Structures are given as C-alpha cells and as structure tokens.
Amino acid sequence: ANQPPTMASAVDSKTVITLKGSVAVVSEFFFCAINSILYQRGIYQPETFKRESKYGLTVLSTTDEGLLSYLNQIMSQMETWLLEGDVQRLVVVVTGADSGETLERWQFNVSVDGAAASSSSTKPNGGGDENNTPAQNNAAASADAATAKKMGKSVKEIHNEIQAIIRQITASVTFLPLLNEPCSFDLLVYTNKSAVVPQKWEDSDPRYIMNSQEVKLRSFTTSVHKVESMVTYKEADEWEL
C-alpha cells in the first residue's frame, strides 16, 4: 500500500531556531553589515574587499588582515554577550579624520523574545529540576510547544529580510551626503549593566550628531532576536550644497 506523504519537508523548511543558532545569524549579519558600510562609505579602499555570495546577494568582505582581526575579536565578544542576552545595540560610528566630527551613526537595535530565549537556552546537567511536579513539567512542555509553533520561521525567510537591509545599505549612497574628508570608524556596543566587560574595552560617549537626519532601515527577526536598523547622518551645510 502507498504510504501517505510525510510532513518532514514542511518541518525542515520551518526549523525552530535555537538561541545559539540565532546568535550565529545575528553575528554574521553584523559582520556583513559592517563590511558593507566600510566599503560603501569608502572608509577602506575598494581593492581591499573581496566579493562573496551570501543571502542571495554579492556582498563585500574585507581582506585587510588588521581589520579582519579587529572585527573577529569584536564578533567573538558580541556572540558571548548575545548568548547572555546582554546586547542592546551595536553602533558603527563614522568620524571625519580632519574635523574629528561624527558624520554618520549606523545603529542596530537588538531585542530578545523572552519566551523564545528561555525555551532555546539549555540548562547544565540535562536541566532536570527535582522540585518540578509532573503537572508543572507538562505545562512547561506545552508552553514550549506553543512557543515553537509561533517561532517557526525558515532560514530562507530570515535571509530574505537580511537581504533587504544589505540592499538598503548599498543604496544609501543615493541619499547620504558625500564624505568630503578621509574618515575612520568606531564600533560602540551598548550592553546591560550586568554584562561582563573585558578590560581592553573602554567606556565611550554616544558620539551623537548635531543637526542630524535619521533614516529608518528595515528590520529582521529570527524568532529569538529582532534587529532594527537605522542611519543618522550630519546634514550638509547650506554652503556645501
């Protein structure tokens, strides 16, 4: 007799993402977005970037060893903080080398779905709790199942949302004022007060921009994390137009 078709393919395409999996997606997006900003805004020479295929797009990634080492170090720490739920936002600050002025702030706000994070995180030693009664365990299991159902989102759907943001970063040259001086960049990470901060990290002021314009970019969600993007830039002085 013919077997009825299984639901395996439907389940595969809507795999419930874990906290660790979500952290990997967010970190990879940050790395890709930072590289994209540095390339599009001319912070590093175009010949120091290589083309790669990601999110159904051609993206640019630095080959500068010093920059790569710096970004990998930052991303490694970011992953630790993301796993702990300590990251509030990442900001890429573009500063004029001559004027010392903040010219652009690319801000990525991170929020965590509490239910998703708690159901995705694992407890040590199998997570058994002797104080839990079977009834409580059943309630927790059904709550987890409900969360899983709500969280079902395919990697392709997530990548499509990320693709839209990377496209917007690429298109930003059409509305951002020209950077008329050599520029450098800094990365600011806003964390919860409880976050453990390595010694080599230092406090920074927010580097806000006076007389600024803000453009909200798209957001993406992994069902565990939501990342909202925006860019703030210094308005060109009238005499510069």
Side-chain angles (χ1 to χ4, degrees), residues 125-236:
N125 304 323
D129 185 343
E130 291 170 8
N131 297 323
N132 266 3
T133 63
Q136 285 174 311
N137 284 332
N138 290 341
S142 60
D144 279 357
T147 303
K149 195 168 183 181
K150 185 189 79 170
M151 284 161 47
K153 189 172 192 178
S154 71
V155 172
K156 189 174 189 319
E157 286 173 306
I158 297 167
H159 281 186
N160 285 346
E161 291 177 2
I162 291 175
Q163 183 193 92
I165 302 171
I166 301 295
R167 282 186 190 279
Q168 285 184 312
I169 293 172
T170 303
S172 65
V173 291
T174 59
F175 65 82
L176 289 172
L178 279 173
L179 297 172
N180 292 323
E181 57 179 309
C183 291
S184 61
F185 84 102
D186 279 309
L187 294 177
L188 309 182
V189 183
Y190 288 67
T191 63
N192 296 337
K193 285 198 169 125
S194 59
V196 178
V197 181
Q199 280 188 320
K200 50 191 167 189
W201 287 66
E202 56 188 37
D203 285 339
S204 167
D205 70 82
R207 312 278 284 279
Y208 290 132
I209 303 173
M210 305 299 288
N211 305 323
S212 65
Q213 289 278 7
E214 182 181 289
V215 175
K216 206 166 169 35
L217 306 177
R218 295 202 183 197
S219 61
F220 78 90
T221 61
T222 66
S223 308
V224 178
H225 293 98
K226 179 175 187 179
V227 178
E228 295 175 296
S229 319
M230 67 193 74
V231 57
T232 310
Y233 58 92
K234 186 179 188 299
E235 279 194 283

Side-chain angles (χ1 to χ4, degrees), residues 72-91:
N72 286 337
Q73 214 175 327
I74 301 285
M75 289 303 113
S76 172
Q77 182 57 55
M78 281 286 286
E79 285 187 19
T80 303
W81 280 332
L82 282 164
L83 280 167
E84 298 293 330
D86 282 332
V87 178
Q88 294 173 356
R89 69 184 72 108
L90 169 74
V91 183

